[in-house]
Amino acid sequence: MTTELVACYADYLYERAALPEAEFTEQVLVNLFRAPLGRAMTYSNAKDLFDRLARAADLIARPHMVRHGAATHWIRGGTDRSVVSDLLGHLSDSSMSVYVHDVPSGWVGFIPSERHARAWV
């Protein structure tokens, strides 16, 4: 976790604290700028936010790519597969095989082509 990420989260918490509707919501991500204010973000709200940020950053990225990237990183870092499986909401450890990619070491940080990225949609 970087100091920049922590600063962004602190900014988010500041904005959230200014919204009375979010006061009693236990969810981490809530709608701050679109209805229903203060309520937990739905999948479509979160995906819309992600898509807008990706466009603004001129990136080809999808939420599921982040999911795969995080799971692959955790597994390669030694996190037990059952823990990663639980975090992702999988019912079986066997479903984790798609998160272990055989990628040459020189490809760490690889940014997929647009064609490759679309396959992850």
Side-chain angles (χ1 to χ4, degrees):
M1 188 174 306
T2 65
T3 54
E4 183 179 356
L5 179 60
V6 172
C8 288
Y9 186 64
D11 289 346
Y12 165 76
L13 291 177
Y14 177 81
E15 293 286 337
R16 180 183 167 143
L19 187 68
E21 296 90 340
E23 185 176 353
F24 299 106
T25 303
E26 294 180 4
Q27 299 295 319
V28 174
L29 295 177
V30 299
N31 294 313
L32 297 180
F33 306 107
R34 294 184 178 182
L37 293 177
R39 300 270 310 270
M41 287 185 125
T42 63
Y43 174 80
S44 61
N45 292 136
K47 184 169 183 329
D48 179 54
L49 173 63
F50 190 92
D51 290 345
R52 285 185 287 120
L53 292 172
R55 274 193 307 276
D58 197 27
L59 292 174
I60 297 169
R62 303 287 182 268
H64 205 76
M65 293 169 72
V66 174
R67 178 182 169 91
H68 272 258
T72 299
H73 178 76
W74 294 330
I75 290 170
R76 286 189 181 158
T79 302
D80 188 88
R81 286 178 185 238
S82 64
V83 172
V84 177
S85 182
D86 285 346
L87 287 170
L88 298 178
H90 287 211
L91 297 177
S92 166
D93 287 351
S94 65
S95 63
M96 296 303 299
S97 63
V98 298
Y99 294 99
V100 183
H101 304 288
D102 189 20
V103 176
S105 61
W107 286 22
V108 173
F110 168 72
I111 305 294
S113 67
E114 183 172 349
R115 180 184 61 76
H116 186 146
R118 294 196 188 288
W120 288 59
V121 176

